[in-house]
């Protein structure tokens, strides 16, 4: 037997607020200089705290100015907001929404940078026509709808107060819906793509925000606390660029075209380039890598080549360090990695990354090219067992989609 969940609206309303709190935390993490703290379900000061109605999310910026947010979800997003929703008295004859917001702002105008009403609901046409970039045009309302203008002024107090409030108050209608995970997906995508956060880290941050909102007395949260609650995966890359002279010419254009043809074939395979030290193998492979990119082919590379300007040349010979750097290259290709790109790479084998990306490129009818340059340097300056360990990790046997290009000297 099933029954209507009468608490659905209440629960989803709080979840909607939490997700917007999560979104602002993500934007703050991307721009740490933006705020001093963020706080949920609070009054920013002691000025009539029980009559403050922009309390869902409060941020204090670096100029000691408040950013205030009121977040409301419509269970049915097509249920449009109308003027009566903002101007009529509330339940049990209480003040209207606009009157509450005005009362909350009037005593704090000199300390408030901006205030927002955020909702997934759409604005009725009679509201939308007076909005410009989210701000109500009071002059237009006064000119075109005197009765509406009178109602607004009555709720706010007078014309001067209304002008001051509406100068900083912005409406954000038609935002993402909670249903269908639309809002969550948009927020997670931001955390993954802009911040390199992990899926588990974003989930944990959401739950910590929920717990912070449940506290009987909430507290301001600084960015260090937000960082601790989240989790980020940022494998450190190695410098893999190799100077290609402007007058570089391929040693043999026919051979080069044959190499390109072979590498474009998604059936895969292994190629070994060899020659004496200094004949230009590394320069050629770097040029080849750029040409592959011009053809829209995905390549990942590592240079074992030891440069005199390397601050820590042994990094290039350490298998763990090389694998971390290749993971950093892999994580650039988020479309090909899918969900794997949103996990902590520390304990994920590099072969999983290569197999996943190769599978995605193969599905597109293209190869994944892996270039390893300078095997002679690895043998000359490093440990042969380290090289063997690395090759075993990145040479993943599979049907097509991968080329492993190696350079050796003799």
């Amino acid at each position: 037997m099933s029954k209507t969940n009468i608490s659905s609206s209440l629960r989803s309303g709080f979840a909607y607020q939490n997700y917007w709190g999560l979104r602002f935390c993500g934007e703050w993490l991307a721009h740490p200089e933006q705020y001093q703290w963020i706080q949920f379900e609070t009054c920013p000061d002691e000025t009539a705290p029980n009559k403050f109605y922009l309390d869902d999310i409060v941020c204090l910026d670096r100029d000691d100015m408040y950013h205030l947010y009121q977040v409301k979800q419509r269970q049915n997003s097509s249920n449009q907001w109308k003027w009566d929703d903002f101007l009529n008295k509330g339940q049990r004859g209480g003040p209207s929404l606009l009157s509450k917001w005005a009362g909350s702002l009037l005593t704090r105008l000199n300390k408030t940078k901006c205030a927002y009403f955020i909702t997934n609901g759409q604005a009725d046409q009679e509201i939308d026509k007076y909005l410009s970039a989210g701000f109500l045009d009071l002059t237009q309302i006064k000119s075109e709808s005197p009765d509406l203008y009178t109602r607004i002024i009555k709720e706010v107090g007078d014309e001067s107060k209304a002008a001051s409030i509406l100068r900083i108050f912005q409406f954000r209608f038609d935002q993402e819906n909670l249903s269908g995970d639309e809002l969550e997906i948009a927020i997670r995508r931001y955390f993954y793509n802009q911040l390199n956060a992990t899926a588990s880290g974003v989930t944990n941050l959401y739950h910590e925000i929920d717990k912070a909102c449940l506290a009987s007395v909430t507290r301001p949260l600084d960015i260090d606390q937000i960082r601790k609650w989240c989790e980020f995966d940022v494998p450190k890359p190695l410098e893999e660029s190799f100077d290609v002279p402007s007058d570089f010419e391929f040693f043999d254009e026919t051979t080069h075209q044959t190499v390109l043809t072979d590498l474009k074939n998604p059936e895969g395979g292994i190629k070994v380039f060899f020659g004496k030290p200094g004949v230009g193998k590394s320069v050629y492979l770097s040029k080849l890598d750029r040409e592959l990119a011009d053809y829209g082919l995905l390549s990942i590379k590592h240079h074992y080549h030891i440069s005199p300007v390397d601050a820590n040349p042994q990094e290039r010979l350490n298998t763990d360090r090389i694998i971390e750097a290749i993971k950093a290259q892999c994580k650039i290709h988020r479309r090909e990695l899918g969900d794997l790109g949103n996990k902590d790479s520390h304990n994920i084998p590099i072969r999983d990354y290569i197999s996943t990306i190769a599978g995605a490129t193969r599905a597109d009818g293209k190869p994944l090219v892996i270039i390893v340059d300078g095997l002679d340097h690895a043998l000359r300056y490093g440990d042969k067992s380290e090289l063997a360990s690395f090759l075993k990790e990145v040479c993943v046997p599979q049907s097509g989609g991968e080329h492993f290009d190696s350079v050796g000297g003799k």
Side-chain angles (χ1 to χ4, degrees), residues 239-248 250 256 260 263 282-301 303 369 371:
E239 178 55 61
E240 299 291 2
S241 61
F242 201 93
D243 290 336
V244 178
S246 58
D247 60 350
F248 174 83
F250 291 115
H256 172 63
L260 279 177
L263 292 181
S282 296
V283 176
Y284 172 71
L285 283 186
S286 293
K287 180 67 174 177
L288 177 63
D289 178 59
R290 297 180 189 182
E291 284 219 0
L292 293 172
D294 291 340
Y295 283 107
L297 303 181
L298 194 158
S299 65
I300 293 168
K301 64 178 178 176
H303 289 288
V369 179
I371 298 174

Side-chain angles (χ1 to χ4, degrees), residues 91-128:
Q91 295 179 352
R92 302 176 183 176
S96 67
L97 275 177
L98 187 59
S99 178
K100 288 180 178 180
W101 295 335
S104 299
L105 288 172
L106 285 172
T107 58
R108 301 176 177 85
L109 282 174
N110 64 332
K111 296 187 293 184
T112 302
K113 177 71 174 291
C114 53
Y116 295 85
F117 171 69
I118 298 173
T119 180
N120 63 319
Q122 300 173 5
D124 178 75
Q125 195 273 334
E126 288 302 311
I127 294 177
D128 189 64

Side-chain angles (χ1 to χ4, degrees), residues 33-48:
E33 74 287 350
Q34 190 169 8
Y35 302 126
Q36 297 184 51
W37 51 254
I38 187 170
Q39 191 169 357
F40 308 108
E41 303 292 350
T42 188
C43 176
D45 51 45
E46 294 303 315
T47 304

Side-chain angles (χ1 to χ4, degrees), residues 246-263:
S246 58
D247 60 350
F248 174 83
E249 294 184 7
F250 291 115
F251 56 90
D252 185 311
E253 185 63 33
T254 300
T255 301
H256 172 63
Q257 291 302 322
T258 300
V259 169
L260 279 177
T261 299
D262 290 346
L263 292 181

